[in-house]
Coordinates of all heavy atoms in Angstrom, one line a residue:
M1 N 150.4 113.3 82.1 CA 151.3 114.4 82.4 C 152.7 113.8 82.8 O 152.7 112.9 83.7 CB 150.8 115.3 83.4 CG 151.7 116.4 83.8 SD 151.1 117.5 85.1 CE 149.4 117.8 84.6
G2 N 153.7 114.2 82.1 CA 155.1 113.7 82.4 C 155.6 114.2 83.8 O 155.1 115.2 84.3
T3 N 156.6 113.6 84.2 CA 157.2 114.0 85.5 C 157.8 115.4 85.4 O 157.7 116.1 86.4 CB 158.4 113.0 85.9 OG1 157.8 111.7 85.9 CG2 158.9 113.3 87.3
G4 N 158.4 115.7 84.3 CA 158.9 117.1 84.2 C 157.9 118.2 84.2 O 158.1 119.2 84.9
A5 N 156.8 117.9 83.6 CA 155.7 118.9 83.6 C 155.1 119.0 85.0 O 154.8 120.1 85.5 CB 154.6 118.6 82.6
G6 N 154.9 117.8 85.6 CA 154.4 117.8 87.0 C 155.3 118.6 88.0 O 154.9 119.3 88.8
S7 N 156.6 118.4 87.8 CA 157.6 119.0 88.7 C 157.6 120.5 88.4 O 157.6 121.3 89.4 CB 159.0 118.5 88.4 OG 159.1 117.2 88.8
L8 N 157.4 120.9 87.2 CA 157.3 122.4 86.8 C 156.1 123.0 87.5 O 156.2 124.1 88.1 CB 157.3 122.6 85.3 CG 157.2 124.0 84.9 CD1 158.4 124.8 85.3 CD2 157.1 124.1 83.3
L9 N 155.0 122.3 87.3 CA 153.7 122.9 87.9 C 153.9 122.9 89.5 O 153.4 123.9 90.1 CB 152.5 122.0 87.6 CG 152.0 122.2 86.2 CD1 150.9 121.2 85.9 CD2 151.5 123.6 86.0
L10 N 154.4 121.9 90.1 CA 154.6 121.9 91.5 C 155.5 123.1 91.9 O 155.2 123.8 92.9 CB 155.2 120.6 92.0 CG 155.3 120.4 93.5 CD1 154.0 120.5 94.2 CD2 156.0 119.1 93.8
F11 N 156.6 123.3 91.2 CA 157.5 124.4 91.5 C 156.8 125.7 91.4 O 156.9 126.6 92.2 CB 158.7 124.3 90.5 CG 159.6 125.5 90.7 CD1 160.5 125.6 91.7 CD2 159.6 126.5 89.7 CE1 161.4 126.7 91.9 CE2 160.4 127.6 89.9 CZ 161.3 127.7 90.9
L12 N 156.0 125.9 90.3 CA 155.2 127.1 90.1 C 154.2 127.4 91.2 O 154.2 128.5 91.8 CB 154.6 127.1 88.7 CG 155.5 127.3 87.5 CD1 154.7 127.1 86.3 CD2 156.2 128.6 87.5
F13 N 153.5 126.3 91.6 CA 152.5 126.5 92.6 C 153.1 126.8 94.0 O 152.7 127.6 94.7 CB 151.5 125.3 92.7 CG 150.5 125.3 91.6 CD1 150.3 124.1 90.9 CD2 149.8 126.4 91.2 CE1 149.4 124.0 89.9 CE2 148.9 126.3 90.2 CZ 148.7 125.1 89.5
L14 N 154.2 126.1 94.3 CA 154.9 126.3 95.6 C 155.5 127.7 95.6 O 155.5 128.4 96.6 CB 155.9 125.2 95.8 CG 155.3 123.9 96.3 CD1 156.4 122.9 96.4 CD2 154.6 124.0 97.6
G15 N 156.1 128.1 94.5 CA 156.7 129.4 94.4 C 155.6 130.5 94.6 O 155.9 131.5 95.3
L16 N 154.5 130.3 94.0 CA 153.4 131.3 94.1 C 152.9 131.4 95.6 O 152.9 132.4 96.1 CB 152.2 130.8 93.2 CG 151.0 131.7 93.1 CD1 151.5 133.0 92.4 CD2 150.0 131.1 92.3
A17 N 152.7 130.2 96.1 CA 152.2 130.2 97.5 C 153.3 130.6 98.5 O 153.1 131.2 99.5 CB 151.7 128.8 97.9
G18 N 154.6 130.3 98.1 CA 155.7 130.6 99.0 C 156.0 132.1 99.0 O 156.5 132.6 100.0
S19 N 155.6 132.8 98.0 CA 155.8 134.3 98.0 C 154.6 135.0 98.4 O 154.6 136.1 99.1 CB 156.3 134.8 96.7 OG 155.3 134.5 95.7
A20 N 153.4 134.5 98.0 CA 152.2 135.2 98.3 C 151.7 135.0 99.8 O 151.2 136.0 100.3 CB 151.1 134.7 97.4
A21 N 152.0 133.9 100.3 CA 151.5 133.7 101.7 C 152.2 134.6 102.7 O 151.6 135.3 103.5 CB 151.7 132.2 102.1
P22 N 153.6 134.7 102.6 CA 154.2 135.7 103.6 C 153.8 137.1 103.3 O 153.6 137.9 104.2 CB 155.7 135.5 103.3 CG 155.8 134.1 102.7 CD 154.6 133.9 101.9
A23 N 153.6 137.5 102.0 CA 153.1 138.8 101.7 C 151.7 139.1 102.3 O 151.4 140.1 102.9 CB 153.1 139.0 100.2
H24 N 150.8 138.1 102.2 CA 149.5 138.2 102.8 C 149.6 138.4 104.3 O 148.9 139.4 104.8 CB 148.7 136.9 102.5 CG 147.4 136.9 103.2 ND1 146.3 137.6 102.7 CD2 147.0 136.3 104.3 CE1 145.3 137.5 103.6 NE2 145.7 136.7 104.5
F25 N 150.3 137.6 105.0 CA 150.4 137.8 106.4 C 151.1 139.1 106.8 O 150.6 139.7 107.8 CB 151.0 136.6 107.1 CG 150.1 135.3 107.0 CD1 150.5 134.3 106.2 CD2 148.9 135.3 107.6 CE1 149.7 133.2 106.1 CE2 148.1 134.2 107.5 CZ 148.5 133.1 106.7
G26 N 152.1 139.4 106.1 CA 152.8 140.7 106.4 C 152.0 141.9 106.2 O 151.9 142.8 107.1
F27 N 151.3 142.0 105.1 CA 150.5 143.1 104.8 C 149.2 143.1 105.6 O 148.7 144.2 105.9 CB 150.1 143.2 103.3 CG 151.2 143.9 102.5 CD1 152.1 143.2 101.7 CD2 151.4 145.3 102.6 CE1 153.1 143.8 101.0 CE2 152.4 145.9 101.9 CZ 153.2 145.2 101.1
R28 N 148.7 141.9 106.0 CA 147.6 141.9 106.9 C 147.9 142.6 108.2 O 147.2 143.3 108.8 CB 147.1 140.5 107.2 CG 145.9 140.4 108.0 CD 145.5 139.0 108.3 NE 146.3 138.4 109.3 CZ 146.2 137.2 109.8 NH1 145.3 136.4 109.3 NH2 147.0 136.7 110.7
V29 N 149.1 142.3 108.7 CA 149.6 142.9 110.0 C 149.7 144.4 109.8 O 149.3 145.2 110.7 CB 151.0 142.3 110.4 CG1 151.6 143.1 111.5 CG2 150.8 140.9 110.9
L30 N 150.3 144.8 108.7 CA 150.4 146.3 108.4 C 149.0 146.9 108.3 O 148.8 148.0 108.9 CB 151.2 146.5 107.1 CG 152.7 146.3 107.2 CD1 153.3 146.4 105.8 CD2 153.3 147.2 108.2
A31 N 148.1 146.3 107.6 CA 146.7 146.9 107.5 C 146.0 146.9 108.9 O 145.4 148.0 109.2 CB 145.9 146.0 106.6
Y32 N 146.2 145.9 109.7 CA 145.6 145.9 111.0 C 146.2 147.0 111.9 O 145.5 147.7 112.6 CB 145.8 144.5 111.6 CG 145.2 144.3 113.0 CD1 143.9 144.2 113.2 CD2 146.0 144.3 114.1 CE1 143.3 144.0 114.4 CE2 145.5 144.2 115.4 CZ 144.1 144.0 115.5 OH 143.6 143.9 116.8
R33 N 147.5 147.1 111.9 CA 148.2 148.1 112.7 C 147.8 149.5 112.2 O 147.6 150.4 113.1 CB 149.7 147.8 112.5 CG 150.6 148.6 113.4 CD 150.4 148.1 114.8 NE 150.2 149.2 115.6 CZ 149.8 149.2 116.9 NH1 149.6 148.1 117.5 NH2 149.6 150.3 117.5
H34 N 147.7 149.7 110.9 CA 147.3 151.0 110.4 C 145.9 151.3 110.9 O 145.6 152.5 111.3 CB 147.4 151.0 108.9 CG 147.0 152.3 108.2 ND1 147.8 153.4 108.3 CD2 145.8 152.6 107.6 CE1 147.1 154.4 107.6 NE2 145.9 153.9 107.2
Q35 N 145.0 150.4 110.8 CA 143.7 150.6 111.2 C 143.6 150.9 112.7 O 142.8 151.8 113.1 CB 142.8 149.3 110.9 CG 141.4 149.6 110.9 CD 140.6 148.5 110.3 OE1 141.1 147.6 109.6 NE2 139.3 148.6 110.5
L36 N 144.4 150.3 113.5 CA 144.5 150.6 115.0 C 145.0 152.0 115.2 O 144.4 152.8 115.9 CB 145.4 149.6 115.7 CG 144.8 148.3 116.1 CD1 145.9 147.4 116.7 CD2 143.7 148.4 117.0
D37 N 146.1 152.3 114.5 CA 146.7 153.6 114.7 C 145.8 154.8 114.3 O 145.8 155.8 114.9 CB 148.1 153.7 113.9 CG 149.1 152.8 114.5 OD1 148.9 152.3 115.6 OD2 150.1 152.5 113.8
K38 N 145.1 154.6 113.2 CA 144.3 155.7 112.7 C 142.9 155.6 113.3 O 142.0 156.5 113.0 CB 144.1 155.5 111.2 CG 145.4 155.8 110.4 CD 145.6 157.3 110.3 CE 146.7 157.5 109.3 NZ 146.8 158.9 108.9
R39 N 142.6 154.7 114.2 CA 141.4 154.5 114.9 C 140.2 154.4 113.9 O 139.1 154.9 114.1 CB 141.1 155.7 115.8 CG 142.1 155.6 117.0 CD 141.7 156.8 118.0 NE 142.5 156.6 119.2 CZ 143.8 157.0 119.3 NH1 144.4 157.5 118.3 NH2 144.4 156.9 120.5
I40 N 140.5 153.6 112.8 CA 139.4 153.3 111.8 C 138.6 152.2 112.4 O 139.1 151.2 112.9 CB 140.0 152.9 110.5 CG1 140.8 154.0 109.9 CG2 138.9 152.4 109.5 CD1 141.7 153.7 108.7
P41 N 137.3 152.3 112.5 CA 136.5 151.2 113.2 C 136.6 149.9 112.5 O 136.7 149.8 111.2 CB 135.0 151.8 113.0 CG 135.1 153.1 112.4 CD 136.5 153.4 112.0
F42 N 136.6 148.8 113.3 CA 136.7 147.5 112.7 C 135.2 147.0 112.5 O 134.3 147.3 113.2 CB 137.4 146.6 113.8 CG 138.8 146.8 113.8 CD1 139.4 147.6 114.7 CD2 139.7 146.1 112.9 CE1 140.8 147.8 114.8 CE2 141.0 146.2 113.0 CZ 141.6 147.1 113.9
A43 N 135.1 146.1 111.5 CA 133.8 145.4 111.3 C 133.6 144.4 112.5 O 134.6 143.9 113.0 CB 133.9 144.7 110.0
P44 N 132.4 144.1 112.8 CA 132.2 143.1 113.9 C 132.9 141.8 113.6 O 132.8 141.3 112.5 CB 130.7 143.0 113.9 CG 130.1 144.2 113.3 CD 131.2 144.6 112.3
G45 N 133.6 141.3 114.6 CA 134.2 140.0 114.4 C 135.6 140.1 113.8 O 136.3 139.1 113.7
T46 N 136.1 141.3 113.5 CA 137.5 141.4 112.9 C 138.4 142.1 113.9 O 139.6 142.4 113.5 CB 137.4 142.2 111.6 OG1 136.9 143.5 111.8 CG2 136.5 141.5 110.6
E47 N 138.0 142.5 115.1 CA 138.8 143.2 116.0 C 140.1 142.5 116.4 O 141.1 143.2 116.8 CB 138.0 143.6 117.2 CG 136.8 144.4 117.0 CD 135.6 143.6 116.7 OE1 135.6 142.4 116.7 OE2 134.5 144.2 116.5
D48 N 140.1 141.2 116.4 CA 141.3 140.5 116.8 C 142.4 140.3 115.7 O 143.5 139.9 116.0 CB 140.9 139.1 117.3 CG 140.3 138.2 116.3 OD1 140.0 138.7 115.1 OD2 140.1 137.0 116.5
G49 N 142.1 140.7 114.5 CA 143.0 140.6 113.4 C 143.3 139.2 112.9 O 144.2 138.9 112.2
G50 N 142.4 138.3 113.2 CA 142.6 136.9 112.8 C 142.0 136.6 111.4 O 142.0 137.4 110.5
W51 N 141.5 135.3 111.2 CA 141.0 134.9 109.9 C 139.9 135.7 109.4 O 139.7 136.0 108.2 CB 140.7 133.4 109.9 CG 141.9 132.6 110.1 CD1 142.2 131.8 111.2 CD2 142.9 132.4 109.1 NE1 143.4 131.2 111.0 CE2 143.9 131.5 109.7 CE3 143.2 132.8 107.9 CZ2 145.0 131.1 109.1 CZ3 144.3 132.5 107.2 CH2 145.3 131.6 107.8
G52 N 139.0 136.2 110.4 CA 137.9 137.0 110.0 C 138.4 138.3 109.4 O 137.7 138.8 108.4
Y53 N 139.4 138.8 109.9 CA 140.0 140.1 109.4 C 140.5 139.9 108.0 O 140.3 140.7 107.1 CB 141.1 140.6 110.3 CG 141.6 142.0 110.0 CD1 140.8 143.1 110.1 CD2 142.9 142.1 109.5 CE1 141.3 144.4 109.8 CE2 143.4 143.4 109.1 CZ 142.5 144.5 109.3 OH 143.0 145.8 108.9
S54 N 141.2 138.7 107.8 CA 141.7 138.4 106.4 C 140.6 138.3 105.4 O 140.7 138.8 104.3 CB 142.5 137.1 106.5 OG 143.7 137.2 107.1
W55 N 139.6 137.6 105.8 CA 138.4 137.4 104.9 C 137.8 138.8 104.6 O 137.4 139.1 103.5 CB 137.4 136.5 105.6 CG 136.3 136.1 104.7 CD1 135.0 136.3 104.9 CD2 136.3 135.5 103.4 NE1 134.2 135.9 103.9 CE2 135.0 135.4 102.9 CE3 137.4 135.1 102.6 CZ2 134.7 134.8 101.7 CZ3 137.0 134.5 101.3 CH2 135.7 134.4 100.9
W56 N 137.7 139.7 105.6 CA 137.1 141.0 105.4 C 138.0 141.8 104.4 O 137.4 142.4 103.5 CB 137.1 141.7 106.8 CG 136.6 143.1 106.8 CD1 135.3 143.5 106.7 CD2 137.3 144.3 106.9 NE1 135.1 144.8 106.8 CE2 136.4 145.3 106.9 CE3 138.7 144.6 107.1 CZ2 136.8 146.7 107.0 CZ3 139.1 145.9 107.2 CH2 138.1 146.9 107.2
L57 N 139.3 141.7 104.5 CA 140.2 142.4 103.6 C 140.1 141.8 102.2 O 140.0 142.5 101.2 CB 141.6 142.3 104.1 CG 142.0 143.1 105.3 CD1 143.5 142.8 105.7 CD2 141.9 144.6 105.1
M58 N 140.0 140.5 102.1 CA 140.0 139.8 100.8 C 138.7 140.1 100.1 O 138.6 139.9 98.9 CB 140.3 138.3 100.9 CG 141.7 138.1 101.2 SD 142.3 136.4 101.0 CE 141.2 135.4 102.0
R59 N 137.6 140.5 100.8 CA 136.3 140.8 100.1 C 136.2 142.3 99.9 O 135.2 142.8 99.5 CB 135.2 140.3 101.0 CG 135.1 138.8 101.0 CD 133.9 138.3 101.8 NE 134.1 138.8 103.2 CZ 133.1 139.1 104.0 NH1 131.8 139.0 103.6 NH2 133.3 139.6 105.2
W60 N 137.3 143.1 100.1 CA 137.4 144.5 99.8 C 136.4 145.3 100.6 O 136.0 146.4 100.2 CB 137.1 144.7 98.3 CG 138.1 144.0 97.4 CD1 137.8 142.8 96.8 CD2 139.4 144.3 97.1 NE1 138.9 142.4 96.1 CE2 139.9 143.3 96.3 CE3 140.2 145.4 97.4 CZ2 141.2 143.3 95.7 CZ3 141.5 145.4 96.9 CH2 142.0 144.4 96.1
K61 N 136.1 144.9 101.8 CA 135.2 145.6 102.7 C 135.8 146.8 103.3 O 135.1 147.7 103.9 CB 134.6 144.7 103.8 CG 133.8 143.5 103.3 CD 132.6 143.9 102.6 CE 131.8 142.7 102.1 NZ 130.5 143.1 101.5
H62 N 137.1 146.9 103.3 CA 137.9 148.0 103.8 C 137.6 149.3 103.1 O 137.9 150.4 103.6 CB 139.4 147.7 103.8 CG 139.9 147.7 102.4 ND1 139.7 146.5 101.6 CD2 140.4 148.6 101.6 CE1 140.2 146.8 100.4 NE2 140.6 148.0 100.4
R63 N 137.1 149.3 101.9 CA 136.8 150.5 101.1 C 135.9 151.5 101.8 O 136.0 152.7 101.5 CB 136.3 150.1 99.8 CG 137.3 149.5 98.9 CD 136.8 149.2 97.5 NE 137.8 148.6 96.7 CZ 137.6 148.2 95.5 NH1 136.4 148.2 95.0 NH2 138.6 147.6 94.8
A64 N 135.0 151.0 102.7 CA 134.1 151.9 103.4 C 134.9 152.9 104.2 O 134.4 154.0 104.4 CB 133.2 151.1 104.2
A65 N 136.1 152.6 104.7 CA 136.9 153.5 105.5 C 137.4 154.7 104.7 O 137.8 155.7 105.2 CB 138.0 152.8 106.2
N66 N 137.5 154.5 103.4 CA 138.0 155.5 102.4 C 139.3 156.1 102.9 O 139.6 157.3 102.9 CB 137.0 156.6 102.3 CG 137.1 157.4 101.0 OD1 137.7 156.9 100.1 ND2 136.6 158.6 101.0
D67 N 140.3 155.2 103.2 CA 141.6 155.5 103.6 C 142.6 155.0 102.6 O 142.6 153.8 102.3 CB 141.9 154.9 105.0 CG 143.3 155.3 105.5 OD1 143.4 156.4 106.0 OD2 144.3 154.5 105.3
K68 N 143.4 155.9 102.0 CA 144.3 155.6 100.9 C 145.3 154.5 101.3 O 145.6 153.5 100.5 CB 145.0 156.8 100.4 CG 145.9 156.6 99.2 CD 146.5 157.9 98.8 CE 147.5 157.7 97.7 NZ 148.2 158.9 97.3
N69 N 145.9 154.7 102.4 CA 146.9 153.7 102.9 C 146.3 152.3 103.2 O 146.9 151.3 102.9 CB 147.7 154.2 104.1 CG 148.5 155.4 103.7 OD1 149.1 155.5 102.6 ND2 148.5 156.4 104.6
L70 N 145.1 152.3 103.8 CA 144.5 151.1 104.1 C 144.1 150.4 102.8 O 144.2 149.1 102.7 CB 143.2 151.3 105.0 CG 142.5 150.0 105.5 CD1 143.5 149.1 106.3 CD2 141.3 150.4 106.3
N71 N 143.7 151.1 101.8 CA 143.4 150.6 100.5 C 144.6 149.9 99.9 O 144.5 148.8 99.4 CB 142.9 151.6 99.5 CG 141.5 152.0 99.8 OD1 140.7 151.4 100.5 ND2 141.1 153.2 99.3
F72 N 145.8 150.5 100.1 CA 147.0 149.9 99.5 C 147.3 148.6 100.3 O 147.5 147.6 99.6 CB 148.2 150.9 99.7 CG 149.5 150.3 99.4 CD1 149.9 150.0 98.0 CD2 150.4 149.9 100.4 CE1 151.1 149.4 97.8 CE2 151.6 149.3 100.1 CZ 151.9 149.1 98.8
F73 N 147.4 148.7 101.6 CA 147.7 147.5 102.4 C 146.7 146.3 102.1 O 147.1 145.2 101.9 CB 147.8 147.8 103.9 CG 148.9 148.7 104.3 CD1 148.6 149.7 105.2 CD2 150.1 148.6 103.8 CE1 149.6 150.6 105.6 CE2 151.2 149.4 104.2 CZ 150.9 150.4 105.1
A74 N 145.4 146.7 102.1 CA 144.4 145.7 101.9 C 144.4 145.1 100.5 O 144.1 143.9 100.3 CB 143.0 146.3 102.3
G75 N 144.7 145.9 99.5 CA 144.8 145.4 98.2 C 145.9 144.4 98.0 O 145.7 143.4 97.4
I76 N 147.0 144.7 98.5 CA 148.1 143.7 98.4 C 147.8 142.5 99.2 O 148.0 141.4 98.8 CB 149.4 144.4 99.0 CG1 149.9 145.6 98.1 CG2 150.6 143.3 99.0 CD1 150.2 145.2 96.7
T77 N 147.2 142.7 100.4 CA 146.8 141.5 101.2 C 145.8 140.7 100.5 O 145.9 139.4 100.5 CB 146.1 142.0 102.6 OG1 147.1 142.8 103.3 CG2 145.6 140.9 103.4
A78 N 144.8 141.3 99.9 CA 143.7 140.5 99.2 C 144.3 139.8 98.0 O 144.1 138.6 97.9 CB 142.6 141.4 98.8
G79 N 145.1 140.4 97.2 CA 145.7 139.8 96.1 C 146.6 138.6 96.4 O 146.4 137.6 95.8
S80 N 147.4 138.8 97.4 CA 148.4 137.7 97.7 C 147.6 136.6 98.5 O 148.0 135.5 98.4 CB 149.6 138.3 98.5 OG 149.2 139.0 99.7
G81 N 146.6 137.0 99.2 CA 145.8 135.9 99.9 C 145.1 135.0 98.8 O 145.1 133.8 99.0
W82 N 144.5 135.6 97.8 CA 143.9 134.8 96.8 C 144.9 134.0 96.0 O 144.7 132.8 95.6 CB 143.1 135.7 95.8 CG 141.8 136.1 96.4 CD1 141.4 137.4 96.8 CD2 140.7 135.3 96.8 NE1 140.2 137.3 97.4 CE2 139.7 136.1 97.4 CE3 140.4 133.9 96.7 CZ2 138.5 135.6 97.8 CZ3 139.2 133.4 97.1 CH2 138.2 134.3 97.7
L83 N 146.1 134.6 95.8 CA 147.2 133.8 95.1 C 147.6 132.6 96.0 O 147.9 131.5 95.4 CB 148.4 134.7 94.8 CG 148.2 135.7 93.6 CD1 149.4 136.6 93.6 CD2 148.1 134.9 92.3
S84 N 147.7 132.8 97.2 CA 148.0 131.7 98.1 C 147.0 130.6 98.1 O 147.3 129.4 98.1 CB 148.1 132.2 99.6 OG 149.2 133.1 99.7
L85 N 145.7 131.0 98.1 CA 144.7 130.0 98.0 C 144.7 129.2 96.7 O 144.7 128.0 96.7 CB 143.3 130.7 98.1 CG 142.1 129.8 98.1 CD1 142.1 128.8 99.2 CD2 140.8 130.6 98.1
V86 N 144.9 129.9 95.6 CA 145.0 129.3 94.3 C 146.2 128.3 94.2 O 146.2 127.2 93.8 CB 145.1 130.3 93.1 CG1 145.5 129.7 91.8 CG2 143.8 131.0 93.0
G87 N 147.3 128.8 94.8 CA 148.6 128.0 94.8 C 148.4 126.7 95.7 O 148.8 125.6 95.3
A88 N 147.7 126.9 96.8 CA 147.5 125.7 97.7 C 146.6 124.7 97.0 O 146.8 123.5 97.1 CB 146.9 126.2 99.0
V89 N 145.5 125.2 96.4 CA 144.6 124.3 95.7 C 145.3 123.6 94.5 O 145.1 122.4 94.3 CB 143.3 125.1 95.2 CG1 142.5 124.2 94.2 CG2 142.5 125.5 96.4
G90 N 146.1 124.4 93.8 CA 146.9 123.8 92.7 C 147.8 122.7 93.2 O 148.0 121.7 92.5
V91 N 148.5 122.9 94.3 CA 149.4 121.9 94.8 C 148.6 120.6 95.2 O 149.0 119.5 94.9 CB 150.2 122.4 96.0 CG1 150.9 121.2 96.8 CG2 151.2 123.4 95.6
V92 N 147.5 120.8 95.9 CA 146.6 119.6 96.2 C 146.2 118.9 95.0 O 146.2 117.6 95.0 CB 145.5 120.1 97.1 CG1 144.4 119.0 97.3 CG2 146.0 120.6 98.5
V93 N 145.7 119.6 94.0 CA 145.2 118.9 92.8 C 146.4 118.2 92.1 O 146.2 117.1 91.6 CB 144.6 120.0 91.8 CG1 144.4 119.4 90.4 CG2 143.3 120.5 92.4
L94 N 147.5 118.8 92.0 CA 148.7 118.2 91.4 C 149.1 117.0 92.1 O 149.4 115.9 91.4 CB 149.8 119.2 91.3 CG 151.1 118.7 90.5 CD1 150.7 118.4 89.1 CD2 152.2 119.8 90.6
V95 N 149.2 117.0 93.4 CA 149.5 115.8 94.2 C 148.5 114.7 94.0 O 148.8 113.5 93.9 CB 149.7 116.2 95.6 CG1 149.9 115.0 96.5 CG2 151.0 117.1 95.8
A96 N 147.2 115.1 94.0 CA 146.1 114.1 93.8 C 146.2 113.4 92.4 O 145.9 112.3 92.3 CB 144.8 114.8 94.0
L97 N 146.6 114.2 91.4 CA 146.7 113.7 90.0 C 147.9 112.7 89.8 O 147.9 112.0 88.9 CB 146.7 114.8 89.0 CG 145.4 115.6 88.9 CD1 145.6 116.7 87.9 CD2 144.3 114.7 88.4
Q98 N 148.9 112.9 90.7 CA 150.1 112.0 90.5 C 149.9 110.8 91.2 O 149.8 109.9 91.5 CB 151.3 112.7 90.9 CG 151.7 113.9 90.0 CD 153.1 114.3 90.2 OE1 153.9 113.8 90.9 NE2 153.4 115.4 89.5

């Protein structure tokens, strides 16, 4: 792989993770805050809003609450969280290949 192609892939992966990661954390805060405000019960181990809460959102477990707004926040959180993960893995693979 040439330097130009490698640089392009690195730029794409960093851009992906650079935009998806802040979206993930921002929407996770909104989902958590919405769940607190609406008094929607938390799954065991997710009450603190940490990594367990992110994992819960990314596995679409929030659907049990049947709340339209929580579905929106959690959907954006889950999508951008997975994009961040793919971007980070892509960067590590690209760096390892060079």
Side-chain angles (χ1 to χ4, degrees):
M1 176 180 314
T3 305
S7 296
L8 176 62
L9 283 175
L10 184 61
F11 175 76
L12 289 174
F13 285 133
L14 285 175
L16 186 66
S19 62
H24 172 78
F25 291 112
F27 276 103
R28 183 182 77 177
V29 168
L30 289 173
Y32 182 75
R33 192 67 231 171
H34 178 75
Q35 198 166 346
L36 279 175
D37 292 346
K38 293 284 189 163
R39 292 183 172 80
I40 298 170
F42 286 92
T46 63
E47 299 88 0
D48 64 350
W51 291 111
Y53 187 70
S54 287
W55 185 240
W56 180 76
L57 290 173
M58 289 196 299
R59 290 181 302 147
W60 304 95
K61 299 293 183 179
H62 65 279
R63 289 184 178 172
N66 202 22
D67 183 83
K68 183 179 176 182
N69 293 322
L70 185 59
N71 285 344
F72 171 75
F73 293 138
I76 298 296
T77 299
S80 56
W82 284 111
L83 284 173
S84 295
L85 180 64
V86 168
V89 169
V91 168
V92 168
V93 168
L94 184 60
V95 168
L97 290 175
Q98 289 196 7

